[in-house]
Amino acid sequence: RKDRSVRVWGEGGQRDLENAHVILLGATATGVEILKNLVLPGLGRFTIVDKQTVTPQHIGSNFFLPSSSVGTNIAQAATKMICSLNEDSQGEFLEEDPGAVIDA
């Protein structure tokens, strides 16, 4: 996995990715998919911020939310699934309104 990444952006780029911390404000299907594309090649850390509860509608549109996550926090459920893709990436979640984080 990392060999391919190193060929794309070099040793320095891979090191930067492994040392990066990305914050996703809102666990949208698009945002979680983009985060997956960063975690697979070795993103160091990520945090997902969202206070929503997973609904059946979320399950239909977000591949990373299993049906068992209905009724749980969406950031927590997405973090758990994304972390399962790469054991070297550290994932955290905050059950907060993304807008409040921006205003803080």
Side-chain angles (χ1 to χ4, degrees), residues 46-80:
F46 69 90
T47 303
I48 301 176
V49 181
D50 205 318
K51 70 174 189 175
Q52 293 186 74
T53 299
V54 178
T55 66
Q57 290 78 17
H58 290 120
I59 301 302
S61 66
N62 193 326
F63 178 77
F64 290 98
L65 297 174
S67 58
S68 62
S69 66
V70 171
T72 65
N73 175 265
I74 194 169
Q76 180 179 16
T79 298
K80 181 178 179 182

Side-chain angles (χ1 to χ4, degrees), residues 20-24 35 39 43-49 75-94:
H21 183 185
V22 171
I23 299 175
L24 176 61
L35 188 58
V39 166
L43 177 66
R45 292 179 55 213
F46 69 90
T47 303
I48 301 176
V49 181
Q76 180 179 16
T79 298
K80 181 178 179 182
M81 293 300 290
I82 295 293
C83 280
S84 72
L85 299 174
N86 186 340
E87 63 188 28
D88 294 328
S89 286
Q90 297 176 339
E92 302 172 341
F93 67 93
L94 294 174

